[in-house]
Amino acid sequence: YSVFSPKQSKKLFLHWDLFGRLMKEDPSTIKGAEALMLGEMLTLPQNFGNIFLGETFSSYISVHNDSTQEVKDILVKADLQTSSQRLNLSASNNTVTELKPESCIDDVIHHEVKEIGTHILVCAVSYTTQAGEKLYFRKFFKFQVLKPLDVKTKFYNAETDEVFLEAQIQNITTSPMFMEKVSLEPSMMYNVTELNTVETGDEGTSTFGKMSYLQPMDTRQYLYCLKPKSEFAEKAGVIKGVTVIGKLDIVWKTNLGEKGRLQTSQLQRMAPGYGDVRLSLEMIPDTVNLEEPFDITCKITNCSERTMDLVLEMCNTRSIHWCGVSGRQLGKVSPSASLSLPLKLLSSVQGLQSISGLRLTDTFLKRTYEYDDIAQVCVVCPYMSRES
C-alpha cells in the first residue's frame, strides 16, 4: 500500500486536471462527452472500479501449478457469497485428472448482480499430490455492489381513465452512462404510449437530443400515457380498482461498454376515489365568447353495485348560468353502465371560469352527489372597443 502526503495528492489532482483539459481539447473526443474517454487518448480505469446493481460480474480464474511435481484430481470451485445466499458460479464441477508443472486450469465466470451490498467471491481448490496427500486451499475476493440509479415515479389520473406516469431517473454513479432503453411494460389492462419523442416528419426525435447519455448526478424525466384496453374501458368498476400499472425496464452502458439492466417492481398508484357516481367530460370547448351559449357533453357512470334512478339539478353560480330545465329525470342506470348527457350553458364573466353547480340525486336512497369545478373554460369578449 502506498501512502501519499497532501502535497503529493495535490500534484496528482493537478495532473488529472491537466489530463481532463487535454481530453477536452482533443478533436477526436465527443463534444460534451469527454469523460467517456472515447478519443485517441483512450484510457483504462484507474482502479478496480465499482460494480453496480444490474450489471454482469465477470471474472477470469486461473489455477497455476507452480511446483515441479504433477498433481491429480484437481477440483476448482467458485462461489459468490451475498448477504442472503451463496451461488455456485463454476461452469463445471468435474475434476481434472492431472495438472503438470507450469500448466494451468482456466475458467471464466459470469453473474448478473441482483443484490446490493458486500459480495465475496470464494475460490476453492482441492487436489492430490503424488504422495497421495489430499490438499485444499481457498482465496477470498471481496467487492461492493452499489446502486447505479435512483428512480422516482409520479402518477396523474385523468378524467378520461388515462393514467400519466412520470419517471425521474438519476445517475448516482461517478461516471456518465449511455441510456440505451427506458421503457414501460404495462399491466394486462393497459396499453402504453411513450411521450419522449417529438414527431418531425416521418421519424421521431428524442426529447433528450441525439446524445442519449446521462452525466453523474443528472436527472432525466420520462413520460408515459396508459389507456385502458377496449375490453376493460367500459367496465368502470374494474378500472376504478386497478392499482398495478406496470414496471419500468432500464438498460444502460457505462464508459467501456459494460451493459446493465434494471427492472423495477410492479408500480402501483393510488386508485382514484370516484364514489358511487362518476361524472366526467367528453367534450368541452377551450375558449367561448362572453354571454353566448356553448355546449358541453358529460358522461355519467354508475360505479356502484346497484341500480340508480338519477335526477339532474343545475345550480347557477356567480359566473356560470345553465340553460335548460333543472330537476329532470335521467332514468335508471345499471351498475357499471354510463350515459352521455349534452348540456348548454353560458358565462357572464370574462377570464378563466370553473364550471360548477351540477347535482345528481339517487331517488332510491335519497342521496345527492355534488359536482363543482369539474372543468375550466376561457371566456373572452368578442367585441373590440375602438379608441377615439
Side-chain angles (χ1 to χ4, degrees):
Y1 296 95
S2 300
V3 179
F4 295 99
S5 67
K7 292 183 179 179
Q8 289 174 315
S9 299
K10 187 174 182 180
K11 288 181 180 179
L12 287 174
F13 176 78
L14 291 174
H15 290 163
W16 181 254
D17 187 54
L18 177 61
F19 179 75
R21 289 203 300 270
L22 291 174
M23 287 287 290
K24 290 185 178 180
E25 295 171 359
D26 180 10
S28 64
T29 56
I30 302 173
K31 296 300 180 183
E34 297 84 359
L36 291 176
M37 302 179 291
L38 297 178
E40 291 182 351
M41 303 173 68
L42 181 65
T43 59
L44 294 175
Q46 300 299 307
N47 50 34
F48 174 73
N50 295 317
I51 298 175
F52 295 103
L53 184 69
E55 293 183 343
T56 299
F57 168 71
S58 300
S59 180
Y60 169 71
I61 299 174
S62 180
V63 178
H64 187 267
N65 186 358
D66 292 335
S67 69
T68 58
Q69 297 181 354
E70 181 181 298
V71 294
K72 298 180 180 180
D73 301 330
I74 306 97
L75 178 62
V76 181
K77 187 177 180 181
D79 291 342
L80 186 63
Q81 178 71 54
T82 71
S83 58
S84 63
Q85 58 184 332
R86 189 182 182 101
L87 303 168
N88 181 18
L89 304 184
S90 300
S92 173
N93 291 321
N94 298 326
T95 59
V96 178
T97 306
E98 60 182 22
L99 184 63
K100 296 180 179 181
E102 301 301 325
S103 298
C104 60
I105 300 172
D106 300 321
D107 190 14
V108 178
I109 58 175
H110 303 281
H111 173 67
E112 184 179 348
V113 181
K114 299 180 180 179
E115 295 182 43
I116 59 175
T118 303
H119 287 56
I120 303 175
L121 179 63
V122 183
C123 298
V125 181
S126 61
Y127 61 95
T128 304
T129 64
Q130 286 186 338
E133 183 182 5
K134 293 185 178 181
L135 298 178
Y136 172 85
F137 69 91
R138 292 189 300 176
K139 291 284 187 178
F140 298 90
F141 304 92
K142 182 186 292 187
F143 60 92
Q144 293 289 331
V145 174
L146 306 177
K147 183 180 175 183
L149 299 169
D150 185 35
V151 181
K152 298 178 180 178
T153 56
K154 295 180 181 178
F155 289 102
Y156 304 91
N157 298 308
E159 286 293 332
T160 55
D161 285 330
E162 294 177 338
V163 179
F164 290 89
L165 168 65
E166 178 191 347
Q168 299 180 359
I169 300 177
Q170 183 181 26
N171 176 10
I172 56 176
T173 70
T174 56
S175 60
M177 59 172 58
F178 173 77
M179 305 304 293
E180 186 171 289
K181 184 182 77 168
V182 180
S183 61
L184 177 64
E185 298 179 0
S187 62
M188 61 176 292
M189 292 188 179
Y190 287 96
N191 292 319
V192 64
T193 302
E194 293 193 10
L195 304 178
N196 304 308
T197 56
V198 178
E199 298 298 330
T200 54
D202 297 334
E203 297 183 356
T205 304
S206 172
T207 55
F208 309 112
K210 297 180 180 179
M211 304 283 291
S212 186
Y213 67 91
L214 197 58
Q215 294 284 7
M217 304 313 295
D218 278 1
T219 302
R220 182 176 288 179
Q221 285 86 12
Y222 293 85
L223 187 62
Y224 304 90
C225 176
L226 296 106
K227 296 182 179 180
K229 293 182 179 179
S230 56
E231 57 266 35
F232 302 109
E234 298 301 324
K235 298 179 181 179
V238 175
I239 293 298
K240 173 186 174 183
V242 173
T243 58
V244 176
I245 296 300
K247 55 186 178 180
L248 287 170
D249 187 16
I250 307 170
V251 181
W252 71 91
K253 290 182 179 178
T254 50
N255 285 26
L256 298 179
E258 304 99 327
K259 195 171 186 177
R261 180 183 181 185
L262 282 180
Q263 278 193 335
T264 64
S265 56
Q266 288 288 348
L267 302 175
Q268 295 190 350
R269 62 161 179 165
M270 292 291 292
Y274 298 132
D276 292 339
V277 184
R278 179 186 178 190
L279 187 145
S280 58
L281 285 177
E282 291 185 324
M283 189 276 294
I284 182 172
D286 294 328
T287 305
V288 298
N289 291 332
L290 179 68
E291 297 181 346
E292 290 186 10
F294 60 94
D295 297 315
I296 65 172
T297 303
C298 298
K299 182 179 180 181
I300 298 173
T301 305
N302 183 357
C303 298
S304 69
E305 298 179 354
R306 56 184 175 81
T307 300
M308 292 185 171
D309 188 16
L310 298 177
V311 175
L312 173 67
E313 295 182 22
M314 301 180 292
C315 305
N316 293 334
T317 65
R318 184 182 65 86
S319 59
I320 296 296
H321 305 272
W322 296 93
C323 305
V325 179
S326 179
R328 60 171 163 150
Q329 294 279 345
L330 300 181
K332 295 180 180 179
V333 183
S334 303
S336 299
S338 59
L339 58 88
S340 292
L341 184 64
L343 298 172
K344 190 181 292 289
L345 63 157
L346 62 84
S347 176
S348 59
V349 179
Q350 295 186 67
L352 191 64
Q353 303 299 327
S354 292
I355 296 178
S356 303
L358 290 180
R359 306 288 183 263
L360 290 173
T361 301
D362 180 13
T363 59
F364 288 153
L365 297 182
K366 306 298 182 183
R367 183 179 297 172
T368 300
Y369 305 91
E370 300 181 356
Y371 300 94
D372 294 317
D373 299 322
I374 58 176
Q376 290 181 323
V377 65
C378 181
V379 182
V380 298
C381 181
Y383 310 108
M384 298 292 293
S385 59
R386 296 181 179 179
E387 295 181 4
S388 56

